[in-house]
Amino acid sequence: ERNALSDFYDSTKGAEWTDSTNWLDEYTRYCDWKGVTCDDDKQHVTNLTLANNGLSGRLRESIGNLTSIKVLDLSDNDIKGSIPAEVGQLSELTYLRLSYNAFTGTAECLEELTKLRLLHLQSNRITEMPNMTQFNKNENMKSAFVTDCGVPSAFNEAPKCE
């Protein structure tokens, strides 16, 4: 998981982050890096929370190697490119906030995330959203905000921007 986090740091231009405390420090456990939370045994990453931290660049496929992650919050940054399909394989994910970035392409890969309780994708340039039917069936779903207005929309009739 240290390698996946190191790759994440490089691909999102970690040297330019607002706060990168302890990241890549060879004498510091990755569980003690800014924004990283691990399980009680300090073996696996459970949270990666780096909202509004000056991240840019792209999200790489190696994010899929964080197989125990439950919370991924990269909102309010400037991450570009598509959401890697590997995000859709993070089967333990319950909270996913990628809003207010510059993601493009589709987000259909997220349809397999059956444990999601919160999904925020608004204010990106995503052309195809996940099928909201699956999320509507999830009784634990707390919040799903995938678009601001216009197309694409999870609603039968897309809300209009005024």
Side-chain angles (χ1 to χ4, degrees):
E1 293 187 347
R2 186 181 188 97
N3 289 340
L5 290 170
S6 296
D7 188 49
F8 172 81
Y9 178 87
D10 291 337
S11 70
T12 58
K13 302 181 181 179
E16 300 172 10
W17 293 357
T18 305
D19 187 352
S20 60
T21 303
N22 293 331
W23 276 79
L24 304 187
D25 183 329
E26 63 185 291
Y27 301 109
T28 304
R29 298 177 73 141
Y30 59 81
C31 296
D32 296 323
W33 294 354
K34 167 71 178 171
V36 177
T37 305
C38 292
D39 58 16
D40 292 337
D41 297 329
K42 302 285 185 197
Q43 295 295 314
H44 300 290
V45 175
T46 57
N47 294 26
L48 183 57
T49 306
L50 291 166
N52 194 26
N53 198 40
L55 282 67
S56 59
R58 299 180 182 274
L59 198 55
R60 288 194 190 142
E61 296 80 8
S62 58
I63 195 80
N65 294 332
L66 302 177
T67 56
S68 297
I69 196 164
K70 295 178 180 180
V71 175
L72 181 60
D73 186 352
L74 306 176
S75 59
D76 298 300
N77 285 293
D78 190 31
I79 304 171
K80 296 172 178 54
S82 61
I83 299 171
E86 288 76 7
V87 172
Q89 297 168 8
L90 298 173
S91 60
E92 298 301 313
L93 209 54
T94 56
Y95 288 81
L96 178 60
R97 291 188 66 217
L98 300 177
S99 52
Y100 300 99
N101 277 287
F103 285 110
T104 58
T106 69
E108 293 170 314
C109 64
L110 305 179
E111 292 176 4
E112 301 303 316
L113 299 174
T114 58
K115 293 186 179 180
L116 272 185
R117 295 188 63 219
L118 180 136
L119 173 64
H120 287 186
L121 298 175
Q122 74 272 16
S123 294
N124 282 289
R125 288 178 259 160
I126 297 171
T127 55
E128 288 188 44
M129 293 295 175
N131 181 344
M132 294 307 293
T133 306
Q134 178 257 325
F135 296 112
N136 292 337
K137 291 179 184 174
N138 183 349
E139 59 193 41
N140 295 318
M141 186 59 107
K142 181 177 176 182
S143 172
F145 191 34
V146 296
T147 187
D148 299 276
C149 53
V151 177
S153 176
F155 304 99
N156 290 334
E157 201 167 311
K160 306 279 186 233
C161 293
E162 303 266 340

